[in-house]
């Protein structure tokens, strides 16, 4: 039976940026890839520009189709106010019970965004006691400072899916425009090239390993 993957982002576009090439590669292999988005996504930026929940949700669905993700789940918590305890643990617990993922990917616990930290705490809470065999934290992005070291131990060759990842990011037209259009694409591609250089790949994504089941990969 093909492995089941659960990627959990605090916001729409998070997992595309951190793990889009890996998720596309898993989907291409026929794995059961699922995306859980914890917040509704809408927000007002520092310049007063407003992004609606519906905009971000529709973009998330379009982007997921590009990556080959067939199942997208929204929990609709408020952006920038994501809790890490209480009822949300039970909700994600139920999703993990239903999906029984072999691999769980979410944010790094020392990401500087408060919602991303909360998502990491949720991932740890629901994958305790070996409940999920492989648990991975995605790379923090350079524009979000992290005073603690991100220590990647697992590199995924995304050379064959880098273009799919970039198209999925372009599908978030609101964020693509906000972050400079093709300048954003160039920076994401450059980051993947740098990670790939570490392993002799053309392009890669990297993850910090919280727990790993070697049987999944051999």
């Amino acid at each position: 039976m093909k492995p089941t993957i659960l990627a959990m982002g605090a916001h729409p576009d998070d997992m595309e940026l951190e793990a889009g090439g890996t998720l596309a590669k898993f989907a291409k292999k026929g794995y059961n890839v699922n995306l859980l988005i914890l917040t509704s996504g809408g927000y007002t930026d520092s310049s007063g520009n407003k992004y609606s929940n519906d905009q971000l949700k529709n973009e998330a669905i379009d982007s997921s189709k590009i990556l080959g993700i067939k199942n997208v789940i929204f929990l609709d918590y408020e952006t920038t106010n994501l809790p890490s305890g209480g009822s949300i643990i039970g909700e994600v617990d139920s999703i993990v019970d239903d999906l029984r993922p072999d691999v769980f990917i979410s944010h790094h616990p020392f990401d500087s965004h408060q919602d991303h930290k909360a998502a990491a705490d949720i991932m740890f809470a629901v994958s305790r006691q070996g409940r999920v065999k492989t648990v991975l934290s995605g790379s923090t992005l350079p524009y979000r400072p992290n005073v603690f070291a991100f220590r990647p131990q697992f590199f995924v060759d995304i050379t064959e899916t880098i273009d799919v990842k970039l198209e999925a990011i372009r599908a978030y037209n609101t964020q693509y425009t906000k972050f400079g259009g093709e300048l954003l694409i160039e920076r994401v591609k450059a980051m993947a090239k740098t990670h790939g250089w570490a392993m002799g790949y053309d392009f890669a994504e990297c993850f910090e390993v919280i727990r790993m089941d070697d049987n999944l990969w051999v």
Side-chain angles (χ1 to χ4, degrees):
M1 185 162 48
K2 298 283 188 178
T4 294
I5 314 298
L6 175 60
M8 182 177 73
H11 317 107
D13 88 352
D14 283 343
M15 286 294 102
E16 289 83 353
L17 288 166
E18 294 185 20
T22 300
L23 298 178
K25 186 170 185 176
F26 285 157
K28 193 173 182 179
K29 288 178 176 289
Y31 295 3
N32 175 23
V33 183
N34 305 270
L35 176 61
L36 170 59
I37 300 172
L38 298 173
T39 67
S40 52
Y43 69 103
T44 302
D45 67 18
S46 57
S47 299
N49 299 309
K50 294 185 178 182
Y51 303 93
S52 74
N53 293 340
D54 287 343
Q55 277 180 303
L56 273 296
K57 283 185 178 182
N58 289 334
E59 289 174 349
I61 291 167
D62 290 342
S63 179
S64 294
K65 288 177 182 175
I66 292 168
L67 293 177
I69 298 170
K70 295 182 172 62
N71 183 31
V72 185
I73 305 163
F74 296 93
L75 288 193
D76 289 336
Y77 282 86
E78 182 183 356
T79 305
T80 73
N81 196 30
L82 180 65
S84 61
S87 62
I88 193 169
I89 299 294
E91 289 180 79
V92 179
D93 251 334
S94 294
I95 291 166
V96 170
D97 277 343
D98 289 342
L99 296 176
R100 301 179 66 83
D102 300 285
V103 180
F104 196 171
I105 302 172
S106 193
H107 298 293
H108 192 270
F110 295 127
D111 194 304
S112 62
H113 195 297
Q114 68 270 29
D115 286 350
H116 293 200
K117 290 180 181 178
D121 286 344
I122 293 164
M123 177 176 69
F124 296 150
V126 302
S127 58
R128 61 193 176 277
Q129 297 178 329
R131 190 168 172 222
V132 182
K133 298 297 185 186
T134 296
V135 182
L136 305 171
S137 282
S139 171
T140 57
L141 300 179
Y143 70 88
R144 293 200 302 268
N146 178 355
V147 296
F148 297 92
F150 172 70
R151 301 166 299 176
Q153 306 98 351
F154 184 51
F155 290 75
V156 178
D157 183 355
I158 63 163
T159 304
E160 64 180 9
T161 56
I162 180 65
D163 290 336
V164 179
K165 171 177 175 146
L166 298 178
E167 281 305 306
I169 292 169
R170 288 187 182 99
Y172 281 95
N173 186 59
T174 55
Q175 308 310 297
Y176 171 80
T177 303
K178 174 184 174 181
F179 288 106
E182 285 304 297
L183 180 60
L184 169 65
I185 298 300
E186 289 173 17
R187 287 171 171 168
V188 171
K189 190 172 183 178
M191 187 167 67
K193 195 171 186 68
T194 299
H195 293 325
W197 188 17
M199 296 295 290
Y201 305 145
D202 289 339
F203 298 97
E205 289 171 340
C206 58
F207 302 88
E208 186 162 338
V209 176
I210 309 304
R211 183 185 304 128
M212 181 168 281
D213 179 8
D214 288 341
N215 290 323
L216 189 63
W217 314 105
V218 296

